[in-house]
Amino acid sequence: MSDKTAAATQATAADSADWHRFLADHPAGDPLQAWGWADVTGVGGERPVRLIARDASGEVRGVAQVLVRPTSFGRTVLYVPHGPVWDWRDPSGPAALDRLLEAIRDTGRREHGIVAKLDPRAAVGAAGADRIQAELALRGLRPARLDLQARTTRLLDLRDGLDALMASFDKDTRNLLRRSTREGVTARVFRDADHEAYGAFAGLLATTSARGGFHSRSAEALERLADAFAPSGAAYLVLAELHGRPIAGCLALVTGTRAFYLYAASLREDALRHANGAYLALWTLCQALTADDVESLDLWGVAEADDAAADPEWTGFSLFKRGFGGVRLTHPGAMDMVVSPFWFRLRDWRERRG
């Protein structure tokens, strides 16, 4: 594919099957670029513009789901969560990236955008963070002042089976898993759009976010997620229960053969101090994924112990996740494509003052 034949156009429903196949096959494809993810973010008022790059033969070479966020003075901010995704494994990759960036910039102008924030993923054994960042910097993008997604994570390899996976956990994690079972905690996996189960998880998530002081998805957003991803078998909701009461849970989405541990929640009460429901929920998720031949689980944001720049608020849940082992992975971080220099400077000035 040459520059002359590459094209990026706005995708329609007729492109959705090809879009999903491309994401499933690409090592950096994940749920934030899935077609249905816009149904989840739409609860907060974000509107998707989906861009797809094809070569002269019609093969998909790249995609970018752009979320348009309204802001002050009739302007917008565009965000491409964990995207764009382009075929960096093929010589046509640079041309596909160029066309996607052109289409994103055109979309930004049309939408009265201030900036388009791109946030592509890296992949183990493929294009690394430095290479991806360099490709975007070469095309005029600059590192954003703040990241919008976790830059570091860990991947659990599920391909060698559960015994090997359990052996890779640290000793304390294995002991707490056994303790959870002895305490009478059980776990259930929900694969369909069970709104009662998702409502229970939303309650756990709201409690957890209030305790930690962070934003969480609403019950409505989680119901939309269930409706968007469960029918295709891409959603795994786990609830850990003690005497029939949900005390912890986690929610994962699958793209291709890769799973992503998007949300987790648990109660912290004195009576539950030995229950360790979060440990059993994650282990039960690993069991369900392995049974379905899913090859990896991305723990979706882990601060490493040697990361001096890590947010201190990440300490607790990162310690929990690191106990499950896994391979470290670093993403490039958010990159800014300035659409309107004047409004960008004004926005940046206001953010620095605030």
Side-chain angles (χ1 to χ4, degrees):
M1 182 175 70
S2 67
D3 286 351
K4 189 172 183 179
T5 58
T9 59
Q10 191 162 330
T12 68
D15 296 304
S16 62
D18 287 347
W19 182 292
H20 281 296
R21 277 192 293 270
F22 178 79
L23 282 184
D25 291 342
H26 197 287
D30 82 20
L32 300 195
Q33 282 292 300
W35 198 274
W37 186 250
D39 294 335
V40 182
T41 62
V43 173
E46 296 174 335
R47 178 170 49 81
V49 177
R50 300 181 179 98
L51 304 170
I52 188 166
R54 296 180 182 271
D55 64 17
S57 69
E59 287 293 314
V60 178
R61 298 299 181 184
V63 299
Q65 179 161 248
V66 183
L67 303 178
V68 181
R69 300 175 170 180
T71 188
S72 306
F73 304 107
R75 313 299 297 192
T76 66
V77 171
L78 287 73
Y79 178 43
V80 188
H82 279 176
V85 184
W86 70 95
D87 199 345
W88 59 46
R89 302 161 296 180
D90 189 277
S92 65
L97 175 60
D98 288 339
R99 294 300 176 257
L100 285 171
L101 295 181
E102 288 174 9
I104 291 169
R105 189 177 297 279
D106 288 344
T107 301
R109 291 170 178 146
R110 188 171 61 251
E111 297 287 347
H112 306 290
I114 297 172
V115 60
K117 292 185 168 291
L118 281 61
D119 207 359
R121 286 181 56 92
V124 171
D130 290 343
R131 173 187 165 186
I132 294 170
Q133 190 176 70
E135 291 276 1
L136 295 177
L138 186 66
R139 291 160 172 82
L141 279 73
R142 63 183 74 174
R145 190 159 50 85
L146 299 173
D147 286 323
L148 299 176
Q149 300 291 334
R151 185 176 287 209
T152 58
T153 188
R154 286 198 180 191
L155 303 181
L156 304 188
D157 190 339
L158 308 180
R159 293 173 294 180
D160 292 333
L162 294 173
D163 290 343
L165 184 62
M166 178 68 82
S168 73
F169 300 166
D170 69 26
K171 181 180 177 181
D172 288 341
T173 296
R174 293 195 299 269
N175 288 338
L176 291 172
L177 276 169
R178 297 185 187 104
R179 179 67 181 269
S180 182
T181 301
R182 290 199 304 270
E183 292 290 324
V185 181
T186 60
R188 290 192 290 165
V189 181
F190 297 86
R191 300 298 311 286
D192 59 355
D194 186 323
H195 284 192
E196 182 177 353
Y198 276 83
F201 181 67
L204 290 171
L205 196 59
T207 300
T208 303
S209 63
R211 183 176 68 232
F214 59 85
H215 171 74
S216 67
R217 292 291 178 189
S218 66
E220 181 185 358
L222 291 176
E223 286 188 359
R224 289 198 184 186
L225 182 151
D227 292 337
F229 290 91
S232 66
Y236 289 72
L237 173 64
V238 181
L239 291 179
E241 300 172 329
L242 183 61
H243 309 310
R245 177 194 181 197
I247 62 170
C250 59
L251 175 59
L253 298 179
V254 172
T255 300
T257 58
R258 304 173 303 280
F260 301 85
Y261 181 78
L262 262 65
Y263 305 113
S266 63
L267 300 179
R268 288 189 186 171
E269 301 172 2
D270 189 59
L272 301 174
R273 65 185 182 279
H274 299 306
N276 303 307
Y279 286 86
L280 185 62
L282 180 46
W283 173 239
T284 301
L285 172 64
C286 291
Q287 292 175 307
L289 294 171
T290 301
D292 290 341
D293 296 322
V294 177
E295 296 181 356
S296 65
L297 174 61
D298 187 327
L299 293 181
W300 205 255
V302 181
E304 296 295 339
D306 58 359
D307 184 358
D311 188 333
E313 294 182 356
W314 283 39
T315 302
F317 68 76
S318 292
L319 181 64
F320 164 75
K321 291 179 179 181
R322 291 199 305 268
F324 288 84
V327 176
R328 297 170 63 158
L329 176 63
T330 300
H331 299 306
M335 300 285 286
D336 283 342
M337 172 191 285
V338 177
V339 180
S340 171
F342 168 78
W343 286 101
F344 181 82
R345 288 193 297 271
L346 179 60
R347 182 175 185 270
D348 187 63
W349 175 79
R350 291 178 63 186
E351 287 185 346
R352 289 178 185 275
R353 284 176 57 90

